[in-house]
Amino acid sequence: MVKTKKSTGKTIKRNAVASSSSSPKQQRAGRQKELVVHNSENEPIPEPLSVHPAQLRREQMEREAQAQRQPPRLRPDWKGGFLDDIEYKWQAELFDWKMSKNSDRKDGFMCEKEISIEDFKPFGLVQKFEALGWEAALKCYDGETGKVYMDAIQEWVGRLEMDPGTKPPETMKLTGWIGEVKVIMSFETLNEIAKFDSKEGRYTFPKEVELYHPEKNKKWDTMLKDVFEPGKGKEKKMKKEELKLPLRLLLTFVQQNVMPRRSDRAGIRDSDIPILHCLMKGKPKISYRYLVMMNIWTSRNYREKQLIPHCRLITALLKKYGAITGTSKFFMLPKGHAPFILEKLGPYGWEYVKTDRYHKLKNAGRKWRGLRPDARMLLAGEEDEANSGDSVMGESDGEDAEEVAMGANVGTSSGMHDVEDVSEFVERERHEDWSSWPDFAQVLYDKLTRLGEQQKRDRDRNELWHRVHAYNEQKGINDRYLDDKRRRLNGDASVGEPPLHHSAWLDPEQDAPPEGYLDMMKGVFGDPKPPHH
């Protein structure tokens, strides 16, 4: 920008006339008006400057001073809605504010418990998790015996961002930070910790509304009928003691490791029903990894949920990324936070007794037993322990004890196969594209599936029969041998033993046959000859 004076002659003359009749002050003002601003030497800007530069500087200084006098911007109020709808820079602070509403900070961290496979396999409960590929949910992988790293876990969850990916929910990622360490939870990183969703085939991913409001599902009444005792579960507030006996214990595991919560553990929420039903039936195969990520994201996103679930799995993930070190702060879990074992089920309403052959449980008057893996075989003529009226478990309530969980084979220590309707098994094992196949292919596939399952059950049934009766059969053989030997040695005349030396009825050490017997045999058969080899 270059400031120049106009050089035309007319202008100079007019200015000269004006200067002769005006004051010096007016003359200076007139010279300022003659200043013109040019973009370049040949392109003048027609509009003259209307504001003096000093005035601009004063206005700028006033604006800066006013900005300094204003208070800093306050944190927005989180009165409702989702946390991720608020500006990201406030989300971690608002999440910390929400978690601070717990009377005891430790109450905001829900840790999983290990479930003893050896204790609960005789009851068929472990097999229910294995049928869905959820067996990894029975263990913990943080390598800790009681430490919970609250600061690191809370910081990571508070700074989470969710990326749905190109093909949600399989490609969903939860990305958070601890200091400068970036930690990603995804289907792939979870499988690097343990083999979750281990079953082959396609898994399902129910939407949040389908899981938390299953009463809108057209199969809702069928699910209630399957999980509750006959005539129960029809009230608005469902009760735990109205569930079928095995599902009462399964619900305890679900509330701790699958759909964690601290409150209302004696009751049943609608969201518990689909999980219990799929565990009971083995279908549909809901992805456990999807449930974990959904639980963590919803607990962060909802204002009323002041709980972080799956803390031990989160800890294992943070350790994998090196976000937790030896200097990280932690608190110790109470001694009551021990693994689930049969002897420690008292706080959950279960009585436990172990006998020579069975593990026995009792809950709200209902009895339940499972054959011990190391149970001794019954002796010949020995009766098995009674199902009901057992003095060890208390007086009979008029109902027989349930042998094993949800139909697992009686007498099996490994629960070879659950006794379920074969048609249900066929339907559950159908290929994901089965509905698009022609009719003949559908019929053939179902027929072969049914045939294979029936043959497998027949083999298991025969093996079970032989295992149960093998001891008695061998004992009968031994008894007959001892009886025969006793009669041979004692020479019991009532048996009618033939007087033949080296016969099956005489001991080789007995005396030689009567005199004249060998001569008679020579006359009939000739002289004895050496045996052929």
Side-chain angles (χ1 to χ4, degrees), residues 483-484 486-488 490-500 503-506 510:
D483 185 59
D484 293 343
R486 184 181 65 253
R487 285 182 290 183
R488 289 198 306 270
N490 294 337
D492 191 349
S494 63
V495 180
E497 301 164 353
L500 295 178
S503 71
W505 297 92
L506 294 177
Q510 283 186 330

Side-chain angles (χ1 to χ4, degrees), residues 189 192-193 315-323:
T189 57
E192 292 175 3
I193 296 175
T315 301
L317 185 68
L318 299 184
K319 284 187 172 183
K320 177 180 177 296
Y321 278 87

Side-chain angles (χ1 to χ4, degrees), residues 458-477:
D458 289 342
R459 289 194 303 268
D460 293 342
R461 191 180 299 113
N462 292 336
E463 182 177 347
L464 175 63
W465 176 268
H466 290 307
R467 287 174 58 189
V468 172
H469 296 281
Y471 176 82
N472 292 333
E473 291 177 0
Q474 185 62 43
K475 190 173 185 304
I477 294 173

Side-chain angles (χ1 to χ4, degrees), residues 14 66 85 100 129 224 259 263 297 334-335 449 467 480 510:
R14 285 197 299 270
Q66 184 178 4
D85 290 337
S100 68
F129 283 85
L224 294 179
M259 302 293 287
S263 61
W297 182 247
K335 293 182 179 179
T449 304
R467 287 174 58 189
R480 288 194 297 272
Q510 283 186 330

Side-chain angles (χ1 to χ4, degrees), residues 253-302:
F253 299 160
V254 168
Q255 291 173 342
Q256 193 75 36
N257 287 14
V258 182
M259 302 293 287
R261 71 170 186 261
R262 286 195 182 278
S263 61
D264 193 26
R265 291 177 69 94
I268 304 174
R269 297 179 180 177
D270 290 347
S271 57
D272 296 328
I273 301 300
I275 302 299
L276 292 176
H277 191 262
C278 78
L279 278 169
M280 180 181 180
K281 294 293 185 180
K283 64 178 183 180
K285 292 191 299 184
I286 300 176
S287 170
Y288 179 77
R289 292 173 293 177
Y290 169 74
L291 292 178
V292 168
M293 297 177 70
M294 186 189 68
N295 290 336
I296 294 173
W297 182 247
T298 55
S299 68
R300 174 192 187 271
N301 226 15
Y302 284 81

Side-chain angles (χ1 to χ4, degrees), residues 373-392:
D374 58 346
R376 64 175 181 83
M377 301 300 295
L378 294 175
L379 300 175
E382 181 182 5
E383 295 184 359
D384 200 357
E385 299 175 13
N387 286 350
S388 59
D390 197 312
S391 60
V392 177

Side-chain angles (χ1 to χ4, degrees), residues 360 362 365 367 385-401:
K360 294 189 176 183
K362 185 177 181 181
K367 301 172 184 177
E385 299 175 13
N387 286 350
S388 59
D390 197 312
S391 60
V392 177
M393 296 300 293
E395 295 297 324
S396 172
D397 58 0
E399 300 182 44
D400 289 342

Side-chain angles (χ1 to χ4, degrees), residues 141-186:
Y141 303 94
D142 56 355
E144 299 290 349
T145 57
K147 294 181 181 179
V148 179
Y149 299 87
M150 292 190 300
D151 292 347
I153 294 173
Q154 184 168 325
E155 181 181 358
W156 181 75
V157 177
R159 298 176 65 184
L160 277 181
E161 293 181 281
M162 195 270 284
D163 178 15
T166 57
K167 189 181 178 183
E170 293 97 327
T171 56
M172 180 174 63
K173 293 182 180 179
L174 298 180
T175 304
W177 298 80
I178 298 180
E180 300 298 325
V181 181
K182 181 179 180 181
V183 180
I184 300 175
M185 176 179 284
S186 65

